[in-house]
Amino acid sequence: MTERTARGRWHVDLHHDDVNRYPGMAFVLRHVCGLDKETGVALADEAQRHGTARVLSCDTRDDAERIVAEIQLLGVRATVSVASEDAG
């Protein structure tokens, strides 16, 4: 992953897994990201249906990595990705 460019955005992506269920994933997203229960459940559903769901975007890589680390500490799989126009 390259360093953030001036126009770049860093994304937090939630991943489907066979362990966590919607209520648990929604709780983690509420606790870490401040999302409401309905949004958390919708994102968990999207992750299950499509493999990943974009939770939010951050201005810096450090912010995105901090949020991903907090999500992962609570047992939910998440990763950082860079906006496609900034990749490469």
Side-chain angles (χ1 to χ4, degrees):
M1 200 176 296
T2 61
E3 284 302 315
R4 178 188 167 283
T5 64
R7 61 179 168 55
R9 300 281 292 174
W10 295 91
H11 306 297
V12 175
D13 297 326
L14 179 71
H15 296 269
H16 169 69
D17 63 49
D18 292 327
V19 176
N20 295 295
R21 302 291 176 237
Y22 292 178
M25 294 173 93
F27 171 81
V28 168
L29 295 176
R30 179 179 179 94
H31 178 75
V32 175
C33 303
L35 301 177
D36 61 55
K37 180 180 178 181
E38 293 77 19
T39 302
V41 170
L43 287 167
D45 182 59
E46 183 179 338
Q48 179 177 355
R49 291 175 188 267
H50 303 287
T52 61
R54 174 113 335 123
V55 175
L56 54 87
S57 296
C58 299
D59 289 327
T60 68
R61 181 178 179 173
D62 287 343
D63 288 342
E65 287 179 346
R66 179 188 51 77
I67 291 167
V68 164
E70 288 181 40
I71 291 171
Q72 290 176 343
L73 283 171
L74 294 171
V76 174
R77 187 165 174 249
T79 58
V80 173
S81 63
V82 64
S84 59
E85 65 270 9
D86 296 328

